[in-house]
Amino acid sequence: MGFPANGSAESKPFKFLIYGRTGWIGGLLGKLCEAQGIEYVYGSGRLENRNSLESDIANINPTHVFNAAGVTGRPNVDWCETHKVETIRTNVVGTLTLADVCREKNLILINYATGCIFEYDSDHPLGSGIGFKEEDKPNFIGSFYSKTKAMVEDLLHNYENVCTLRVRMPISSDLSNPRNFITKITRYEKVVDIPNSMTILDELLPISIEMAKRNLTGIWNFTNPGVVSHNEILEMYKEYIDSSFTWKNFNLEEQAKVIVAPRSNNELDASKLKKEFPEMLPIKESLLEYVFKPNRKTPTS
């Protein structure tokens, strides 16, 4: 297959075909393309319908394809436990079909995946700073959502035209968005307090566009370096946004009583991404720089 080599320059202007128009990441991608003057079109085809994908590509003639479509469930991933076929149709059949069509058309696919396919274990203990690397095999299949994502990542690894980005607990500066991890935990009655790798979209989504421009492929842990705990985030929220904010903690056993499927907690090793993009900030610095300082409501002392 004649895919562009990593880092090779495109001879024609960039034109992105994006799937996920109604999604959070898909919407943000469109805004970033507008800001950067990159031509883009949202795909109208259904991921699981091969003919509609081929029609999109024929009509749009993109240089790169981005997949920000997928089923995460509303209001959360517990939905997938009772809608397994719908979850498979989009997350597995749809994603694989898109990757296969892109390969046939000699196109690189930037696929926004998930890092919620790992959990702390004896080789990667909580608090050790030892994160899961790109080549590690998923060890968390506690939720059906994560199970489908682990399956599809394993299969996509065989497609040399796919760039898989493992997003985790995405956060943006838009604190009104219900998909924002910060917004979610500020609305919970109680939260667990576990350090995790997370993705600051304001910083990393522009990096994903740059990755497309560099024709990067393979699996990437798409998180800021380091970990941050729920309580640390809420302390920042209290300091910068709402000084009267309070919250309650509970443990995993108590959490298990109010959710259907277990949740993933892990640290991903972001050194591969950091080597490619050395300017990337550690998670706590990125939170302050991109989320809390721009949204500051409490007076500075």
Side-chain angles (χ1 to χ4, degrees), residues 90-277:
T90 303
N91 290 357
V92 182
V93 178
T95 305
L96 290 172
T97 302
L98 181 58
D100 198 60
V101 170
C102 286
R103 184 179 187 274
E104 200 174 68
K105 305 296 181 186
N106 254 29
L107 289 166
I108 284 176
L109 171 65
I110 307 292
N111 184 51
Y112 296 95
T114 183
C116 293
I117 51 178
F118 297 99
E119 62 181 340
Y120 290 116
D121 61 14
S122 56
D123 293 325
H124 309 82
L126 174 68
S128 66
I130 302 168
F132 289 92
K133 295 183 182 294
E134 280 77 5
E135 58 272 18
D136 287 332
K137 293 293 178 200
N139 69 345
F140 176 78
I141 51 170
S143 70
F144 191 74
Y145 168 79
S146 291
K147 192 175 182 179
T148 62
K149 289 292 196 174
M151 284 178 188
V152 83
E153 181 183 282
D154 185 46
L155 292 169
L156 283 179
H157 194 46
N158 298 291
Y159 283 81
E160 69 274 32
N161 62 309
V162 176
C163 180
T164 293
L165 304 180
R166 290 175 175 166
V167 176
R168 284 215 76 228
M169 298 178 169
I171 291 169
S172 86
S173 55
D174 179 7
L175 296 177
S176 64
N177 192 307
R179 310 301 288 173
N180 189 336
F181 181 74
I182 296 175
T183 310
K184 285 182 181 179
I185 62 173
T186 57
R187 294 176 180 178
Y188 289 161
E189 195 177 326
K190 294 180 180 178
V191 296
V192 292
D193 182 35
I194 300 177
N196 270 285
S197 287
M198 301 186 191
T199 303
I200 307 299
L201 294 176
D202 300 67
E203 182 175 16
L204 267 61
L205 275 189
I207 282 177
S208 67
I209 290 176
E210 181 59 31
M211 292 175 85
K213 291 177 179 179
R214 296 182 191 182
N215 294 317
L216 298 174
T217 56
I219 296 172
W220 298 77
N221 288 336
F222 201 61
T223 57
N224 291 81
V227 292
V228 64
S229 73
H230 296 57
N231 280 8
E232 286 174 315
I233 289 175
L234 293 175
E235 282 160 10
M236 291 181 195
Y237 185 86
K238 185 180 175 78
E239 181 182 348
Y240 285 86
I241 311 298
D242 179 3
S243 58
S244 65
F245 182 77
T246 59
W247 68 95
K248 294 176 183 173
N249 288 127
F250 63 163
N251 60 33
L252 288 172
E253 290 72 27
E254 292 167 319
Q255 183 194 44
K257 294 173 184 173
V258 296
I259 56 176
V260 177
R263 302 293 194 260
S264 156
N265 292 290
N266 69 54
E267 177 172 355
L268 298 182
D269 184 327
S271 55
K272 179 181 175 183
L273 191 65
K274 177 75 174 172
K275 186 177 179 184
E276 186 73 29
F277 297 95

Side-chain angles (χ1 to χ4, degrees), residues 18 32 35 85 111 212 246 294:
I18 302 171
L32 282 171
V85 171
N111 184 51
T246 59

